[in-house]
mmCIF file of all heavy atoms in Angstrom:
data_model
loop_
_atom_site.group_PDB
_atom_site.id
_atom_site.type_symbol
_atom_site.label_atom_id
_atom_site.label_comp_id
_atom_site.label_asym_id
_atom_site.label_seq_id
_atom_site.Cartn_x
_atom_site.Cartn_y
_atom_site.Cartn_z
ATOM 1 N N PRO A 146 90.941 88.274 87.141
ATOM 2 C CA PRO A 146 90.187 87.294 86.368
ATOM 3 C C PRO A 146 88.696 87.590 86.335
ATOM 4 O O PRO A 146 87.948 86.968 85.612
ATOM 5 C CB PRO A 146 90.470 85.996 87.128
ATOM 6 C CG PRO A 146 90.590 86.441 88.543
ATOM 7 C CD PRO A 146 91.196 87.818 88.511
ATOM 8 N N TYR A 147 88.215 88.580 87.125
ATOM 9 C CA TYR A 147 86.798 88.920 87.178
ATOM 10 C C TYR A 147 86.629 90.398 86.824
ATOM 11 O O TYR A 147 86.604 91.263 87.703
ATOM 12 C CB TYR A 147 86.237 88.650 88.579
ATOM 13 C CG TYR A 147 86.385 87.221 89.040
ATOM 14 C CD1 TYR A 147 87.292 86.884 90.038
ATOM 15 C CD2 TYR A 147 85.622 86.206 88.466
ATOM 16 C CE1 TYR A 147 87.440 85.576 90.465
ATOM 17 C CE2 TYR A 147 85.759 84.895 88.881
ATOM 18 C CZ TYR A 147 86.668 84.580 89.884
ATOM 19 O OH TYR A 147 86.808 83.283 90.293
ATOM 20 N N PRO A 148 86.518 90.721 85.537
ATOM 21 C CA PRO A 148 86.505 92.131 85.134
ATOM 22 C C PRO A 148 85.318 92.918 85.652
ATOM 23 O O PRO A 148 85.370 94.148 85.719
ATOM 24 C CB PRO A 148 86.482 92.044 83.599
ATOM 25 C CG PRO A 148 85.932 90.692 83.288
ATOM 26 C CD PRO A 148 86.412 89.799 84.395
ATOM 27 N N GLU A 149 84.232 92.228 86.040
ATOM 28 C CA GLU A 149 83.055 92.957 86.505
ATOM 29 C C GLU A 149 83.154 93.366 87.968
ATOM 30 O O GLU A 149 82.304 94.103 88.468
ATOM 31 C CB GLU A 149 81.792 92.106 86.298
ATOM 32 C CG GLU A 149 81.638 90.917 87.244
ATOM 33 C CD GLU A 149 82.454 89.696 86.830
ATOM 34 O OE1 GLU A 149 83.309 89.826 85.940
ATOM 35 O OE2 GLU A 149 82.219 88.621 87.399
ATOM 36 N N ILE A 150 84.167 92.920 88.678
ATOM 37 C CA ILE A 150 84.320 93.268 90.084
ATOM 38 C C ILE A 150 84.958 94.650 90.206
ATOM 39 O O ILE A 150 85.995 94.931 89.611
ATOM 40 C CB ILE A 150 85.182 92.222 90.821
ATOM 41 C CG1 ILE A 150 84.418 90.898 90.924
ATOM 42 C CG2 ILE A 150 85.573 92.709 92.210
ATOM 43 C CD1 ILE A 150 85.200 89.792 91.601
ATOM 44 N N ASP A 151 84.329 95.503 90.984
ATOM 45 C CA ASP A 151 84.861 96.834 91.243
ATOM 46 C C ASP A 151 86.037 96.701 92.210
ATOM 47 O O ASP A 151 85.869 96.201 93.329
ATOM 48 C CB ASP A 151 83.761 97.703 91.863
ATOM 49 C CG ASP A 151 84.252 99.114 92.166
ATOM 50 O OD1 ASP A 151 85.414 99.440 91.841
ATOM 51 O OD2 ASP A 151 83.448 99.883 92.736
ATOM 52 N N PRO A 152 87.240 97.128 91.821
ATOM 53 C CA PRO A 152 88.391 97.013 92.730
ATOM 54 C C PRO A 152 88.158 97.682 94.081
ATOM 55 O O PRO A 152 88.723 97.258 95.087
ATOM 56 C CB PRO A 152 89.519 97.705 91.951
ATOM 57 C CG PRO A 152 89.133 97.566 90.514
ATOM 58 C CD PRO A 152 87.632 97.664 90.502
ATOM 59 N N ALA A 153 87.310 98.704 94.112
ATOM 60 C CA ALA A 153 87.039 99.391 95.370
ATOM 61 C C ALA A 153 86.252 98.517 96.345
ATOM 62 O O ALA A 153 86.205 98.810 97.545
ATOM 63 C CB ALA A 153 86.270 100.684 95.113
ATOM 64 N N ALA A 154 85.642 97.441 95.834
ATOM 65 C CA ALA A 154 84.856 96.547 96.687
ATOM 66 C C ALA A 154 85.701 95.434 97.302
ATOM 67 O O ALA A 154 85.199 94.647 98.097
ATOM 68 C CB ALA A 154 83.705 95.940 95.887
ATOM 69 N N ILE A 155 86.968 95.357 96.934
ATOM 70 C CA ILE A 155 87.863 94.336 97.484
ATOM 71 C C ILE A 155 88.298 94.765 98.880
ATOM 72 O O ILE A 155 88.704 95.907 99.091
ATOM 73 C CB ILE A 155 89.079 94.127 96.565
ATOM 74 C CG1 ILE A 155 88.611 93.671 95.182
ATOM 75 C CG2 ILE A 155 90.040 93.107 97.160
ATOM 76 C CD1 ILE A 155 89.732 93.600 94.161
ATOM 77 N N ARG A 156 88.229 93.841 99.820
ATOM 78 C CA ARG A 156 88.526 94.141 101.211
ATOM 79 C C ARG A 156 89.827 93.468 101.656
ATOM 80 O O ARG A 156 90.214 92.437 101.129
ATOM 81 C CB ARG A 156 87.387 93.654 102.116
ATOM 82 C CG ARG A 156 86.050 94.318 101.799
ATOM 83 C CD ARG A 156 86.038 95.764 102.266
ATOM 84 N NE ARG A 156 84.778 96.422 101.960
ATOM 85 C CZ ARG A 156 84.603 97.282 100.982
ATOM 86 N NH1 ARG A 156 85.611 97.587 100.181
ATOM 87 N NH2 ARG A 156 83.439 97.843 100.776
ATOM 88 N N THR A 157 90.457 94.062 102.653
ATOM 89 C CA THR A 157 91.653 93.488 103.265
ATOM 90 C C THR A 157 91.247 92.572 104.413
ATOM 91 O O THR A 157 90.444 92.972 105.266
ATOM 92 C CB THR A 157 92.578 94.592 103.808
ATOM 93 O OG1 THR A 157 93.082 95.358 102.717
ATOM 94 C CG2 THR A 157 93.747 93.988 104.572
ATOM 95 N N LEU A 158 91.762 91.353 104.428
ATOM 96 C CA LEU A 158 91.569 90.489 105.584
ATOM 97 C C LEU A 158 92.609 90.895 106.623
ATOM 98 O O LEU A 158 93.811 90.844 106.373
ATOM 99 C CB LEU A 158 91.746 89.016 105.206
ATOM 100 C CG LEU A 158 91.440 88.017 106.331
ATOM 101 C CD1 LEU A 158 89.958 88.083 106.714
ATOM 102 C CD2 LEU A 158 91.812 86.594 105.921
ATOM 103 N N GLN A 159 92.142 91.301 107.777
ATOM 104 C CA GLN A 159 93.039 91.832 108.791
ATOM 105 C C GLN A 159 93.902 90.716 109.392
ATOM 106 O O GLN A 159 93.497 89.550 109.432
ATOM 107 C CB GLN A 159 92.238 92.520 109.895
ATOM 108 C CG GLN A 159 91.483 93.751 109.428
ATOM 109 C CD GLN A 159 92.404 94.814 108.852
ATOM 110 O OE1 GLN A 159 93.467 95.106 109.410
ATOM 111 N NE2 GLN A 159 92.008 95.405 107.727
#
Side-chain angles (χ1 to χ4, degrees):
Y147 302 109
E149 72 279 12
I150 291 178
D151 180 3
I155 300 173
R156 299 287 179 256
T157 294
L158 185 65
Q159 295 301 316

